[in-house]
Amino acid sequence: MITVLLVDDHALVRMGFRLMLDAQPDLSVVGEAGDGAEAVELSRRLRPDVVVMDLHMPGLDGVRATELITAELPGVRVLALSTFDLDENVVAALRAGAGGFLPKDVSPEELVEAVRVVHRGESAVAPRLLTRLIGTFVRASRPERPAPPAGPDGWDGLTELTEREREILVLIARGRSNGEISGELGVSPSTVKNHVTNLFAKIDVRDRAQAVIVAYEAGLITPGE
């Protein structure tokens, strides 16, 4: 059973999401929070598998709450929601550790599947939004930090990656699953998993959503490619 904490400042929205999720045999809503501070407190107490987090709330917003939860409770995954498609807070939430993002007008089927995907440790970002979000906000909001010299291929900051790891990072940024990468490269799923684990450690990210941001920032892939 996947346990879920719902976070939104509108009770009717939480009620709607609860009805969608509790209708599934493998999902159970174990709590609700009306703001970010309450979300952090309930996450500590309930230790849900997934937090469905609205980003726009009074007081402690969803981005900061996500950052606090993922830093303190690495076993708790966060699925961020926003009313707005193109929103700098979405990239901020992914940077903060959210495992995915969906617009709040998603269908019940999309929400249910996203919760399952995030629980598996994979990235759930609506395909129609990913390229636009990254292309619009990543470069403009890149944090100031020292970067290692660019390699001969111009991939700034990724010089520790092997050629295979770089290739897999590009495929991740294009939305490929581990299974699809395995088939495309002609290697075993376990080999792909090992490469993914190694490259995540080298570029200091915790999941596929953050890896996608790194790939766009480094110029491995461009919006619309």
Side-chain angles (χ1 to χ4, degrees), residues 23-174:
Q24 304 302 312
D26 59 333
L27 303 179
S28 176
V29 175
V30 295
E32 298 182 18
D35 58 46
E38 188 180 9
V40 174
E41 179 184 350
L42 286 179
S43 293
R44 290 169 176 158
R45 179 153 53 90
L46 300 175
R47 302 296 174 101
D49 295 313
V50 178
V51 178
V52 177
M53 177 81 72
D54 182 28
L55 295 183
H56 300 275
M57 295 179 292
L60 189 71
D61 66 19
V63 174
R64 180 58 179 155
T66 295
E67 184 176 20
L68 292 172
I69 291 169
T70 57
E72 182 178 337
L73 306 169
V76 177
R77 306 284 297 174
V78 176
L79 174 63
L81 300 179
S82 175
T83 306
F84 310 102
D85 276 6
L86 288 178
D87 182 358
E88 64 272 17
N89 284 329
V90 174
V91 170
L94 295 176
R95 289 186 189 281
F101 162 75
L102 291 177
K104 290 177 77 171
D105 63 353
V106 294
S107 68
E109 293 79 14
E110 288 173 311
L111 176 63
V112 167
E113 182 57 24
V115 169
R116 291 171 177 151
V117 168
V118 166
H119 177 249
R120 292 198 300 265
E122 301 175 11
S123 174
V125 180
R128 68 185 174 93
L129 302 182
L130 181 58
T131 298
R132 286 192 293 153
L133 280 167
I134 300 298
T136 302
F137 294 111
V138 165
R139 292 185 182 279
S141 62
R142 182 186 302 182
E144 294 298 327
R145 61 175 183 266
D153 47 19
W155 286 339
D156 189 35
L158 303 181
T159 54
E160 291 187 9
L161 297 185
T162 66
E163 290 298 323
R164 177 64 82 184
E165 288 166 350
R166 291 171 178 173
E167 187 176 13
I168 290 175
L169 180 56
V170 169
L171 292 174
I172 289 173
R174 289 176 175 161

Side-chain angles (χ1 to χ4, degrees), residues 177-189 192:
S177 67
N178 281 4
E180 290 169 333
I181 294 173
S182 171
E184 192 162 333
L185 298 182
V187 297
S188 70
V192 173

